[in-house]
Amino acid sequence: MDNTLARANGRPVTRWRPRVALASVVVGLSVAATTLAVASGAAAGTTLGASAAEKGRYFGAAVAANKLSDATYVGILNREFNSVTPENEMKIDATEPQQGQFTFANADRIVNHARANGMQVRGHTLAWHSQQPGWMQNMSGSALRQAMLNHVTQVATYYRGKIHSWDVVNEAFADGGSGARRDSNLQRTGNDWIEAAFRAARAADPGAKLCYNDYNTDDWSHAKTQAVYAMVRDFKQRGVPIDCVGLQSHFNAASPVPGNYQTTLQGFADLGVDVQITELDIEGSGQPQADNYGRVVRACLAVARCTGITVWGIRDTDSWRASGTPLLFDGNGNKKPAYSATLDALNSGGTTPPPTTAPPSTPPPTTPPPSGGCAATVSLNSWNGGFVATVRVTAGSTAIDGWAVAVTLPGGATVTNTWNARGSGISGAVTFRNVEYNGRLSAGTTTEFGFQGTGVGPTGTPTCTPS
Ligand code: G2I
């Protein structure tokens, strides 16, 4: 299958290998998550993204490329969100409308907007029974399997280094009580189609987190939830590359926020994957809707590996369920009670997620950063020829309004992508400074940024300077 991919790519394909942390560097203070949970009570961000960043998380929105010329829409997007998901532009029908002919223009508009504004990108979605172009709908068997894998490879390769998390496979399980896979042309290519897609995605973009994403998987007692859980557990046991589970979390009167929602988030997290709330919307209005948003956000913050929330649109009028007014801003772009409840919940309590890369091999020093100072911790996830560096910045015993982290890259290493920070260069001595939403850190709180590069990651001692 690799040979087929190599031919279709026109370039060599690296055989899949698991991610291995080859090196880790720790300097300054690395505060245990429990300590941070206590210390973070004082944080009070004024936007969704800033507040989530203070908790080491992202807050994103689904974005439509054709709305990037709407000033109200873009104003809210840039002010409030630090992650985006293309709502339709990365789907199979959008990116490969004719077999072997790829179109990325609309998706690129969103990715470029995100990168220019320091936002992460969630890729959605590489393999799905729905939104297939006509040519794919008509395929079956090994030809379809190869076409699917080629699609995964081509799209993930094109965006290599630019995607924080990919929804590799979307909605592969049936509704109802069967716990079975959903019947589809992809499923009929063989039960291993999902793991084959994940392996192809890892080979194409080793730096992206790879997620399985589904809906009606919010209630821990539902058969569909348990079926997805069993698949993820099996993947982890057998070494199939999976890093995260996406809960779409589309709620309304017929499908309310379940009482055991936090149990579900924790249950998946306990398998050793991140959990992301990927398409949140809650129909309703006023205080009841606000209360539901608050519950969802608090549940995520209570689970250390619930690393981010994405709402499925910005204004009610942008929603796929517009008549249910399920979002945080009304049609005029005004903040709704649901917005305030979401921000309040983000600002109160919660845990800080653990480093999502392998734990550092050097024991962290126990001395705290100086008063008015800051410290940086770098974890490296490396593979042959590249790396992803995840950097945690922690304020000392007083608040800071900005930070700069200086690292030194070995000769030949080049930064290809940076998120949640701006770098001064791409090689040698590089200083990463905060972006608008994550500069302010109250005492003892932390934020995370990252960069991906070719070559070998930083091995020296980063320094953190308040600014
Ligand atoms: O259905 C809600 C979401 C459920 N989970 C997967 C998501 O990908 C899905 O998103 C929705 C988009 O919000 C809609 O915007 O997916 C729909 C398609 O499956 C999207 O609707 C489509 C319309 O069906 C098309 O007619 C239209 O051309 O949007 C397209 C672009 O506007």
Side-chain angles (χ1 to χ4, degrees):
M1 222 167 271
D2 279 349
N3 290 338
T4 307
L5 293 174
R7 273 202 308 277
N9 264 344
R11 75 180 84 179
V13 170
T14 312
R15 203 168 275 277
W16 173 76
R17 73 175 73 79
R19 291 209 270 193
V20 183
L22 294 180
S24 294
V25 184
V26 178
V27 294
L29 174 75
S30 175
V31 183
T34 46
T35 312
L36 288 168
V38 174
S40 62
T46 55
T47 65
L48 302 171
S51 183
E54 285 180 349
K55 300 292 161 56
R57 291 169 170 85
Y58 67 83
F59 204 98
V63 165
N66 63 9
K67 291 177 182 157
L68 289 175
S69 52
D70 176 331
T72 305
Y73 183 88
V74 172
I76 300 170
L77 172 63
N78 291 356
R79 187 185 73 221
E80 296 288 344
F81 297 96
N82 56 12
S83 173
V84 299
T85 307
E87 185 174 0
N88 290 297
E89 292 79 353
M90 286 186 178
K91 291 175 180 175
I92 314 172
D93 59 351
T95 51
E96 196 179 358
Q98 305 296 329
Q99 187 171 14
Q101 293 178 16
F102 291 85
T103 58
F104 295 113
N106 284 329
D108 281 349
R109 288 169 65 193
I110 297 174
V111 171
N112 292 340
H113 183 93
R115 287 163 66 79
N117 291 280
M119 302 168 184
Q120 297 176 178
V121 180
R122 294 196 81 262
H124 174 81
T125 175
L126 293 171
W128 191 19
H129 69 276
S130 183
Q131 298 290 106
Q132 291 183 359
W135 65 266
M136 186 179 270
Q137 291 175 28
N138 294 328
M139 290 181 90
S140 63
S142 61
L144 173 60
R145 173 68 69 94
Q146 289 198 3
M148 180 274 285
L149 292 174
N150 183 55
H151 181 85
V152 170
T153 300
Q154 296 279 357
V155 177
T157 299
Y158 180 84
Y159 284 112
R160 179 179 174 138
K162 297 182 176 178
I163 303 294
H164 178 275
S165 301
W166 265 115
D167 289 333
V168 177
V169 171
N170 196 39
E171 303 177 355
F173 280 81
D175 293 312
S178 70
R181 294 280 184 89
R182 174 195 297 278
D183 180 51
S184 71
N185 59 348
L186 290 168
Q187 179 63 30
R188 288 192 292 272
T189 69
N191 208 50
D192 63 344
W193 74 276
I194 298 179
E195 61 195 83
F198 274 84
R199 291 193 165 101
R202 180 70 97 224
D205 186 356
K209 288 180 179 293
L210 306 183
C211 303
Y212 176 78
N213 190 52
D214 214 329
Y215 66 92
N216 281 351
T217 47
D218 311 291
D219 189 320
W220 187 239
S221 68
H222 281 181
K224 186 171 172 181
T225 310
Q226 290 302 313
V228 173
Y229 176 83
M231 179 189 73
V232 175
R233 184 178 55 196
D234 172 55
F235 280 10
K236 293 296 287 184
Q237 284 170 350
R238 290 191 294 113
V240 176
I242 184 168
D243 308 302
C244 37
V245 171
L247 302 190
Q248 294 184 8
S249 299
H250 295 292
F251 296 119
N252 57 21
S255 179
V257 183
N260 58 20
Y261 188 60
Q262 186 180 320
T263 301
T264 306
L265 299 176
Q266 189 66 58
F268 282 114
D270 288 346
L271 290 175
V273 290
D274 290 348
V275 181
Q276 303 180 9
I277 299 172
T278 53
E279 303 182 13
L280 179 63
D281 49 22
I282 310 176
E283 292 190 45
S285 62
Q287 199 56 41
Q289 181 183 46
D291 290 345
N292 279 323
Y293 265 101
R295 284 180 55 206
V296 169
V297 173
R298 282 192 298 275
C300 180
L301 289 181
V303 174
R305 288 197 78 151
C306 182
T307 57
I309 299 174
T310 300
V311 286
W312 205 242
I314 294 180
R315 301 162 301 198
D316 284 334
T317 43
D318 300 317
S319 170
W320 69 299
R321 285 176 164 174
S323 64
T325 62
L327 293 172
L328 302 177
F329 297 87
D330 69 20
N332 295 319
N334 298 314
K335 296 171 181 174
K336 294 166 58 180
Y339 171 92
S340 307
T342 299
L343 186 62
D344 288 351
L346 286 170
N347 279 332
S348 63
T351 58
T352 299
T356 47
T357 45
S361 54
T362 311
T366 49
T367 40
S371 170
C374 57
T377 308
V378 181
S379 298
L380 279 185
N381 182 8
S382 302
W383 60 91
N384 191 14
F387 66 91
V388 167
T390 303
V391 185
R392 310 199 89 203
V393 180
T394 304
S397 58
T398 56
I400 58 173
D401 286 324
W403 43 264
V405 173
V407 304
T408 303
L409 293 164
T414 303
V415 176
T416 55
N417 182 29
T418 303
W419 51 97
N420 297 344
R422 289 196 181 89
S424 61
I426 59 169
S427 60
V430 182
T431 299
F432 294 91
R433 297 179 192 281
N434 63 277
V435 287
E436 301 81 67
Y437 56 80
N438 62 6
R440 182 179 164 280
L441 292 178
S442 48
T445 62
T446 193
T447 192
E448 218 174 70
F449 73 93
F451 54 100
Q452 180 165 1
T454 56
V456 177
T459 51
T461 303
T463 54
C464 186
T465 314
S467 57

